[in-house]
Every structure is written in C-alpha cells, then in structure tokens.
Amino acid sequence: MTSQSPPPAFQNPPGYTFPSHRFNRVLRDSTKEPLVLVACGSFSPVTYLHLRMFEMARDHVRHNTNYEVVGGYLSPVSDQYKKAGLLAAQHRLTMCNLAAEQTSNWLMVDPWEAVQDYQRTAVVLDHFEHEVNTRLGGVTTVEGEQRPVRIMLLAGSDLIATMSEPGVWSENDLDHILGRYGTMIIERAGADMTQAIDSLARWRNNIVLIHQLIQNDVSSTKVRLFIRRGLSVRYLLPGPVVDYIETNGLYVDEGTPTSTPSGTLGAEKDKKSVDKDSREAGPSTSKSSS
C-alpha cells in the first residue's frame, strides 16, 4: 500500500452499530495478514453473483496469497444519489440482510453508507478502516498479538474499466482506493481487463484480478427485466430475496424504482454527479469532503 494519509474521524448516524457478529477476531494462522473484503453497490436486488464474488475472492486469497479473510461486507449505496429508479435503501438493506444471514455463514451487511447522505467509495473504505482497526482494535493472533486488518474493495471488472476512463474518478480518490487499500476484481464474461489495468499501472501491485472458472452473467438489471416481463427469477437470487420481492411487489412496473448503474462503477458516477449538483447549489448544500 502506498498512500499513508490517516483516515478521517467519523461520527456515525444515530442508532448505528457496526455489524461484527461474524467478524473473526482471532487470526487462525499467525503467519497470515488479516483481510476484510468490502463490496459497494446498489444491490437492487442482490443476486447470487454478488454473493459468489465473495466466495471466489476468498478462494483466491486462500490459495494464492498470504492473507486470511476475517470478514466480508456488503455496503449498499444511499438513497441520496437521487438516481431515477433507485429502490429505497430500506428494501435493499433488507434483501441484502436476508441473503447474507440466510445463505452465508460469514458475510455481513453494513448499513452505514445506505442510511445517510451520499459517501464516496474512498470515504466508505475509510469508514471500514476506522471501525475495524480503531473501534474493534483489529484482530488477535492465537498467541495474543494484536494485528491491524487490511481493507480491500471487492468489485466486478467493470470497476477497473471505469477507473481507467478519464473523468469518472478523481485522481485523489483513485490513489486513496488503489494506493491505500487496493481492490480485488472479479472477471466478468467477455471483459478484457488488460488495457484497463495497464492504464492503472501505478497501482498494479494493489489490483488483484480473479478469473471466473464458471461463467456467471446474472445481473440485477436482467433480474429486474425478468420481473417486469412476468418471468421467474427463482434460483437467480436467494429464495428469501425472491419471496421478499414478490411479497412487496417490487420491480413489477416500469415506473417502479429499480437501481443505479451496475455495481460500484455506477454508484461512483452518480456520486460525482451529486457532488457536482451540490457544488452548483451553493455552500449551504455542499460537503467539505466533495
């Protein structure tokens, strides 16, 4: 990691508690470096591919690195992106929690980003750094040694494509995300990441590309389209999520709020748009972190 600037102090939303019930506070292998994986996005709705990303990343870590995964988090974006069709955070958080709690034994959902004003991905990662290493104190080895935990962003390969696209991400945020934290990128069908990664050569050592051994192109966009056409989405999503969508009549109409563009890249584009709108509105609505 190259960027050494300290993360900012955080004031959490009222009633907020960082989820740590599945966070492994004891490092099983003292020769390893503890790692937490964080995926940001709309998750509207959360699909099996979102969950598979974590499993693929953990497999890669186990077999190819000197890390040990001690936690995995989904961080849904806030309603404040004002993106047309973004489903309310309450629904998205509920679906993510159903998926994580009923289909996984290690994933958690952090509502911090979803329940407040928009937050840049760089700031979201700083939040995890603060909660895991400052508030929780990192992890302990079996010998009793305290260890800080590394935080890494987990995303699909479309993230790297937009990071190499001029004007989508600020240079400071790229350096903060890729330099301080790093990212694990899950390959998606038909995507060629060579050129995108070459354009980010400065941070190449902090970009880990993970190939899909079984191709899966399920997306939230396709799921919403299926629902609007009256087609079944069962076995594309966790069963409890399908039941929740059907019970609440979500995504049925064209006018029903749907989602931001795919994953972290779409959220970051919207964040930049909101940042711009806030600055144009004047000091009363702008944020110092913009």
Side-chain angles (χ1 to χ4, degrees):
M1 293 179 287
T2 60
S3 179
Q4 299 298 322
S5 57
F10 285 98
Q11 183 173 357
N12 288 328
Y16 169 79
T17 301
F18 182 69
S20 60
H21 56 294
R22 288 175 168 174
F23 176 71
N24 292 331
R25 298 181 184 235
V26 178
L27 194 64
R28 292 187 295 270
D29 186 343
S30 300
T31 68
K32 302 286 188 178
E33 181 179 352
L35 174 69
V36 159
L37 299 170
V38 177
C40 301
S42 298
F43 303 113
S44 186
V46 61
T47 72
Y48 274 128
L49 181 54
H50 291 132
L51 304 177
R52 275 293 300 166
M53 285 171 54
F54 283 94
E55 296 295 328
M56 286 185 280
R58 190 167 66 162
D59 281 345
H60 180 86
V61 166
R62 183 185 298 117
H63 295 291
N64 300 283
T65 75
N66 195 45
Y67 292 112
E68 179 180 313
V69 175
V70 295
Y73 290 90
L74 293 88
S75 179
V77 300
S78 167
D79 289 341
Q80 299 305 313
Y81 299 117
K82 306 295 185 184
K83 177 70 178 182
L86 180 64
L87 191 68
Q90 176 186 354
H91 287 306
R92 293 182 286 113
L93 283 170
T94 299
M95 289 187 287
C96 285
N97 273 302
L98 287 169
E101 294 298 325
Q102 297 192 31
T103 71
S104 170
N105 61 5
W106 66 286
L107 295 180
M108 293 163 282
V109 181
D110 183 14
W112 185 84
E113 182 181 4
V115 299
Q116 56 181 323
D117 290 343
Y118 67 92
Q119 300 291 338
R120 302 186 333 272
T121 300
V123 175
V124 174
L125 295 177
D126 283 344
H127 154 74
F128 278 96
E129 168 79 19
H130 176 74
E131 291 293 336
V132 169
N133 287 318
T134 300
R135 289 186 179 271
L136 295 181
V139 299
T140 306
T141 66
V142 291
E143 294 83 11
E145 176 192 353
Q146 290 293 121
R147 295 265 182 93
V149 177
R150 180 167 184 182
I151 311 297
M152 290 191 77
L153 180 66
L154 175 65
S157 55
D158 49 2
L159 174 79
I160 285 296
T162 57
M163 282 184 165
S164 64
E165 181 182 336
V168 177
W169 301 73
S170 74
E171 186 74 12
N172 286 340
D173 275 8
L174 281 178
D175 187 53
H176 199 70
I177 294 167
L178 299 179
R180 182 182 181 89
Y181 298 109
T183 182
M184 290 194 173
I185 301 296
I186 305 297
E187 173 195 46
R188 288 189 174 170
D192 182 5
M193 292 294 96
T194 304
Q195 183 175 352
I197 292 177
D198 285 347
S199 68
L200 299 169
R202 174 182 172 187
W203 303 285
R204 183 187 297 272
N205 290 339
N206 276 348
I207 300 173
V208 179
L209 181 61
I210 302 172
H211 298 287
Q212 286 202 58
L213 300 181
I214 299 176
Q215 294 299 326
N216 182 345
D217 65 349
V218 173
S219 70
S220 298
T221 301
K222 292 177 181 178
V223 167
R224 296 192 301 270
L225 180 61
F226 271 40
I227 295 173
R228 287 198 298 269
R229 290 180 176 177
L231 302 176
S232 171
V233 294
R234 202 163 290 276
Y235 308 117
L236 298 178
L237 320 175
V241 175
V242 176
D243 294 340
Y244 183 84
I245 290 172
E246 292 177 349
T247 298
N248 290 275
L250 304 179
Y251 307 120
V252 173
D253 300 321
E254 287 288 342
T256 300
T258 52
S259 178
T260 58
S262 176
T264 303
L265 81 94
E268 203 66 27
K269 284 183 176 180
D270 291 337
K271 290 174 186 180
K272 289 179 70 64
S273 175
V274 173
D275 286 346
K276 180 175 182 292
D277 291 343
S278 295
R279 289 194 296 271
E280 291 176 350
S284 63
T285 58
S286 64
K287 294 177 66 65
S288 58
S289 60
S290 297

